[in-house]
Amino acid sequence: MLMGMITVDGLTRDYGSGKGIFAVSFSVEKGETFGFLGPNGAGKTTTIRHLMGFLKPVSGKCEINALDCWKDRDKIQAQLGYIPGEISFFEEMTGTEYLQFMEQYRRLGTESRKEELLDFFQLDPGVKLKKMSKGMKQKIALVVAMMHDPAILIFDEPTSGLDPLMQNKFIDFINAEKKRGKTILLSSHMFEEVERTCDRIGIIRNGRLAEVNPVQELRNRHVRPYTVTLETEALAKAFAEDFHGQRNGRKVTVTAKQSLEDIFMHYYGDESLDQHSTV
Amino acid sequence: MISTALYKREMKRSIKLLLIFCTVLTMYIAIIISMYKPELAKMLDKYVELMPELMASFGMTGDATTLTGFMCSYLYGFILLIIPMLFSIIRGNGLIAGYVDKGSMVSLLSAPLKRRTVVLTQMAVLISGILLLNLYITAVELFFAEYDYPDQLHIGHLLSLNTGLLFLHLFIGSICFTASCVFSDTKYSVGAGAGIPVLMYILKMLANMGDKADNIKYLTFFTLFNPDGIVDGELKAVIGIIVLLTGAVILFTSSVVVFCRKDLNI
């Protein structure tokens, strides 16, 4: 029984020689932000292509809002915003022309959020798409994905190519959309953006979903408390302040949190070994 | 059924190509028709006498006693086959495979439109281009024939001739379009979409050249379009062009089915 806004159930596509995705199952609840984390080639994009109705499931199935991702793809697209991992527009157009085309193509009228989004991302689209930097193209893709104000967002590595300032801005944007009740699937290999935006994280490796966990749980898992005793209370006070610890007399308890990155390494650390053994 | 926004965009992209091809056609048709003066026609016929194989390979067999016969011989063997064929090859490939290969098909499919709508729109663009080219050819032929030799052209003959030409080009277009839908890689899409019609044309040239090679004509679909036969009202020639039209309908339909069911790695 499939539940949730986005459900993937036993999705398999074998490209041979260990490539592909194998029995991937997860679901994203309404209003939830789900992080889809994994290194390049792990199967994130393949999974997303199934969700988009570009690929037909060989076995297993996927649904969005109780609609079949392959059969009802056009109905799903009406409420979906998508940023592809590799962006390719109509290169001969300017950004303005492209956005205008997409508005007409989608048959958007006055309800388009185009202007608002262009303002938010401080984007001047009057340049030929061919001449745009990767970051600018990424912003155009974002505007296209969001201008029809979709309820479900699927972003495939949306911040690659953005500078740190824009990445922050993007994370703020995601969080704002989340507050507006959007269901979001965010694929990434950047721990920080996932940690700062997502409720739950699915970790995919070699085409298999290794684990699905709430971010908080992942974060807590590797928390280690240390209690140290300082020589004087004044020293203890300074120590507690510098290391954000809890002071009790001369005793101070500090906690070391592993970053998500370290947790990630825990899952993928031996990846290089895997590759060597298969070569 | 089709997307107006996409149709407009694609027709804009076709226009440039159409303008270039129409210019070439205008010049070529104008020159050939003006040569239908007895003395010039004699010159052309002399070429035919001197190098019958080479001239015949382009469908130029001489002995044209009427203006229509002259046009059949000197226009419908080469230029009127090649130019619209080039259009179909270039546009057919760009309309589907080009988008898939570059990945920009994502823009067209991540919108609430059925794949069928997208592929039918692109098909409509290709067919519109072929139709426009054929209409233009007819208009230019009429104009120059009437201008140079008033009342000598049998308009009914010209119209049935160009209907046949249209069916032939719809068939060629359907080959290019099917190749574009089947292959996701432009390398293969162009390979099949251009390779098949060009190979067929080369076979036709070989078949035209001589008695021994005559049987090659059964290997190429160009044989189904027989201008002289159409003008003479031969049943075989009429069946030929109906076969071409049927082939076009079948291939265009299959291309839609293929594209709608296809896995796209975009």
Side-chain angles (χ1 to χ4, degrees), chain A residues 13 15 49 52-56 70 73-74 77-78 82 88-90 92-93 98 101-102 105-106, chain B residues 3 5 9 99 102 104 106-115 118 260-266:
Chain A
R13 176 169 284 258
Y15 285 123
R49 281 174 182 160
M52 290 297 293
F54 298 159
L55 297 176
K56 186 180 183 180
W70 176 256
R73 51 197 169 198
D74 54 312
Q77 290 299 340
Y82 173 57
S88 169
F89 300 127
F90 309 150
E92 80 288 354
M93 283 185 164
Y98 177 70
F101 169 77
M102 286 311 288
Y105 186 65
R106 276 190 162 272
Chain B
S3 156
R9 166 187 150 74
Y99 280 105
K102 266 186 258 152
S104 45
V106 170
S107 294
L108 300 181
L109 294 186
S110 52
L113 276 82
K114 287 186 187 302
R115 273 199 204 176
V118 175
C260 290
R261 293 193 186 162
K262 177 181 186 180
D263 278 332
L264 292 167
N265 278 297
I266 46 173

Side-chain angles (χ1 to χ4, degrees), chain A residues 115-130:
Chain A
E115 296 303 326
E116 176 201 336
L117 291 160
L118 286 176
D119 275 354
F120 184 85
F121 289 106
Q122 298 153 4
L123 180 60
D124 168 24
V127 185
K128 283 250 190 266
L129 288 163
K130 206 174 355 190

